[in-house]
Structure formats: C-alpha cells, structure tokens
Amino acid sequence: MTLVRTVSGVVAGGVVVLLCVVVGAAVIGSRRDFPGPGAESLTWHFVAAVLVVVAQVFADRRRGMSTVLGSAAVLVTAGVLLWTQWWG
C-alpha cells in the first residue's frame, strides 16, 4: 500500500504544479496582452487540484481498500484533467 500511496502522492503534487503553471500563464498572458488559458481551463485545474488533494489526504489517513480507492480517485482525476485539458 505504501507504493500505491507514494505514486498517487506524486501525481497529486503534479496536478498542483499544473495548476500553478496554468495560473502563472494566465497572469502573464493578461499582463502582456496575449491569449492565455481561459476561465474554463483555470476552473478545471482548480477543481482537479482540490479533488486530488482531498483524495490523497483520505488515502494517506486510511488503511486497506480505502487507501486504494483514494489513490484511484487521484489517478482517475489526474487522467481526466490531462485528457481533457492537455491532450484533447
């Protein structure tokens, strides 16, 4: 279970970093008058970051199948975010 929590923790951290990148791009874009990510992309990233952090905290504080479910929620949320906002 430690490996599962470790992998999902790294993925959760990556989603938070992506949120920071998108927010930074939006701020720089608005200051320099070039199109950056819009409100929809910012919303997707913010919601995904909140969900993965909550799911990771849940997985870290539980044992057994709850750990797997929390970690799976992190991985699925990150996958949906990447598929819809970065690869889609």
Side-chain angles (χ1 to χ4, degrees):
M1 292 298 167
T2 303
L3 179 64
V4 172
R5 282 194 304 250
T6 301
V7 169
S8 65
V10 169
V11 170
V15 170
V16 172
V17 168
L18 285 178
L19 171 64
C20 294
V21 167
V22 171
V23 168
V27 168
I28 290 170
S30 68
R31 287 184 180 177
R32 295 189 179 173
D33 283 338
F34 70 86
E40 180 182 0
S41 184
L42 287 167
T43 302
W44 270 93
H45 283 81
F46 179 77
V47 169
V50 169
L51 287 175
V52 298
V53 168
V54 168
Q56 185 63 37
V57 169
F58 177 82
D60 285 342
R61 295 185 178 175
R62 301 289 194 273
R63 301 234 181 255
M65 194 58 161
S66 296
T67 297
V68 174
L69 292 175
S71 295
V74 169
L75 297 174
V76 168
T77 303
V80 168
L81 177 70
L82 289 174
W83 188 266
T84 59
Q85 298 300 306
W86 290 88
W87 298 327

